[in-house]
Amino acid sequence: MIEAANHLPYNPQKTNYTKITQEEIQREVDYWRAYKILQKMLKAGLISEEEFDKIDKLNRKTFTPMYAQLMA
């Protein structure tokens, strides 16, 4: 299977990339900063798991991060 993948033609002109805007990058950074703070609050016992989940859900709506969808 891996050997077959090594023989696939690669043509960078045919790849379909979309450019990420500065605003999208900033929203991503802001979300991950908020997420890390939430994790620290949870670990310190300042918030419960339920509160963590609720706040994280709100943060995902607020910041609309691209990669948060990959997380469970």
Side-chain angles (χ1 to χ4, degrees):
M1 182 77 163
I2 293 174
E3 290 178 16
N6 290 334
H7 298 291
L8 294 175
Y10 173 69
N11 186 346
Q13 281 77 29
K14 290 188 177 183
T15 54
N16 188 14
Y17 295 111
T18 57
K19 291 187 179 185
I20 299 172
T21 66
Q22 186 63 37
E23 181 182 341
E24 289 171 322
I25 292 170
Q26 188 61 56
R27 285 196 317 252
E28 195 75 23
V29 169
D30 292 344
Y31 169 75
W32 289 109
R33 283 183 181 159
Y35 184 80
K36 287 296 188 182
I37 291 169
L38 272 179
Q39 283 182 322
K40 288 179 183 181
M41 291 174 70
L42 179 63
K43 187 175 180 180
L46 299 173
I47 59 174
S48 67
E49 279 279 343
E50 185 178 300
E51 291 169 319
F52 176 92
D53 292 338
K54 285 180 182 179
I55 296 168
D56 186 49
K57 187 175 180 179
L58 287 172
N59 284 343
R60 288 177 192 224
K61 287 181 182 179
T62 301
F63 298 115
T64 58
M66 296 177 289
Y67 300 109
Q69 302 163 12
L70 301 175
M71 298 176 51

